[in-house]
Amino acid sequence: MFILSSPSGAGKTTIAKKLLAQVDGLGMSVSVTTRPIRPGEVEGKDYHFVDRDTFSQMVENGEFLEWAEVFGNCYGTPKAQIKAGLKAGQDYLFDIDWQGTQQLYQRMEVDVVRVFLLPPSIAELEDRLRSRGTDSDEVIRSRMDRAKAEISHWDGYDYVVINDDIESCYDSVLHILEAERLRRARQTGLVDFTRKLMA
Ligand SMILES: Nc1nc2c(ncn2[C@@H]2O[C@H](COP(=O)(O)OP(=O)(O)O)[C@@H](O)[C@H]2O)c(=O)[nH]1
Ligand SMILES: Nc1ncnc2c1ncn2[C@@H]1O[C@H](COP(=O)(O)OP(=O)(O)O)[C@@H](O)[C@H]1O
């Protein structure tokens, strides 16, 4: 469970899309949200877009592995798909906030890797939010107001990567994923493999 978090605009989605395009055996955890769809987003790919009543019903039915209210909208990780995929040996990429990260870590610590992306500066963060062109001035202002509060949770993560140049940021995140996959406890089949070597 490879988690990417950052203040809005710091580059999570960009890095996530590059990882999904280039890394084998990595699926995206597609969240459910009450946030309105943005230009260019696709239902079922970027998010499952639902209304608040549906979201509340899903919470009541215990359908989320974690959920949180972020920037006045609700976001949640559907449980069923993730549990089944993990059981089948699939790795998952999560783009979730610090609240969701805490919930997943408390529940599934050994399977969780937490990566926090930081912008090179607050000014650059705002420039990127504006250049993305997906949010109104009012939404950008409200997200910038919360950026410092989001950033304050950086010390709850295993890795911190400053997203200055996108290619070097991507390389760093990819190397973290590759190294975490090679941790002895995460590799399956080593006992048989080493037993054969030592036979
Ligand atoms: N806890 C939690 N946070 C989520 C989930 N999906 C997205 N988020 C977070 O909600 C925040 C807003 O996401 P979004 O509206 O896509 O804006 P963005 O950060 O500008 O891409 C970001 O911090 C996301 O990481 C989820 O399923 N659970
Ligand atoms: N290192 C970077 N340099 C310049 N622009 C970037 C960089 N990383 C991301 N961006 C741009 O900044 C905007 C926000 O990135 P995005 O991935 O949507 O952030 P998040 O998902 O964290 O909100 C996008 O337009 C993206 O193309």
Side-chain angles (χ1 to χ4, degrees):
M1 300 172 86
F2 196 74
I3 298 175
L4 284 183
S5 297
S6 81
S8 186
K12 297 182 296 302
T13 306
T14 305
I15 295 294
K17 284 183 173 162
K18 287 170 81 80
L19 283 171
L20 291 166
Q22 296 179 24
V23 175
D24 293 334
L26 185 67
M28 187 71 199
S29 170
V30 181
S31 298
V32 178
T33 187
T34 60
R35 153 162 90 66
I37 194 166
R38 285 175 181 153
E41 287 185 324
V42 177
E43 161 56 35
K45 184 172 172 293
D46 296 284
Y47 282 101
H48 297 292
F49 296 93
V50 301
D51 62 25
R52 276 199 177 258
D53 287 349
T54 305
F55 194 93
S56 306
Q57 194 57 58
M58 291 179 79
V59 172
E60 264 172 55
N61 297 344
E63 292 182 49
F64 291 126
L65 213 48
E66 60 75 30
W67 70 275
E69 179 142 359
V70 194
F71 309 131
N73 297 304
C74 293
Y75 298 81
T77 297
K79 188 186 291 181
Q81 175 215 8
I82 299 300
K83 287 257 182 196
L86 287 175
K87 215 179 171 82
Q90 169 83 20
D91 291 334
Y92 278 101
L93 181 58
F94 294 77
D95 170 343
I96 62 176
D97 85 320
W98 63 272
Q99 300 168 93
T101 302
Q102 277 183 352
Q103 292 171 58
L104 292 189
Y105 187 73
Q106 277 152 16
R107 295 182 63 165
M108 309 168 90
E109 179 178 339
V110 290
D111 288 325
V112 170
V113 176
R114 303 164 293 181
V115 179
F116 200 79
L117 300 184
L118 288 174
S121 70
I122 290 293
E124 174 67 13
L125 183 66
E126 181 153 5
D127 286 350
R128 291 181 190 174
L129 265 182
R130 292 195 183 289
S131 69
R132 184 169 72 183
T134 57
D135 302 288
S136 66
D137 280 352
E138 186 195 348
V139 166
I140 289 173
R141 202 171 19 259
S142 86
R143 285 177 175 224
M144 285 308 299
D145 289 347
R146 288 178 176 77
K148 289 173 183 159
E150 295 284 298
I151 290 168
S152 73
H153 295 281
W154 66 275
D155 56 352
Y157 287 76
D158 304 302
Y159 299 90
V160 177
V161 181
I162 296 172
N163 177 12
D164 197 346
D165 164 69
I166 189 69
E167 288 311 320
S168 55
C169 176
Y170 173 72
D171 281 348
S172 300
V173 175
L174 179 62
H175 292 154
I176 292 167
L177 175 61
E178 288 168 345
E180 285 288 343
R181 279 177 157 181
L182 287 172
R183 289 176 76 90
R184 176 184 48 75
R186 288 227 173 87
Q187 294 195 51
T188 54
L190 275 186
V191 172
D192 291 345
F193 181 76
T194 50
R195 190 176 287 147
K196 280 200 192 88
L197 285 180
M198 296 183 287

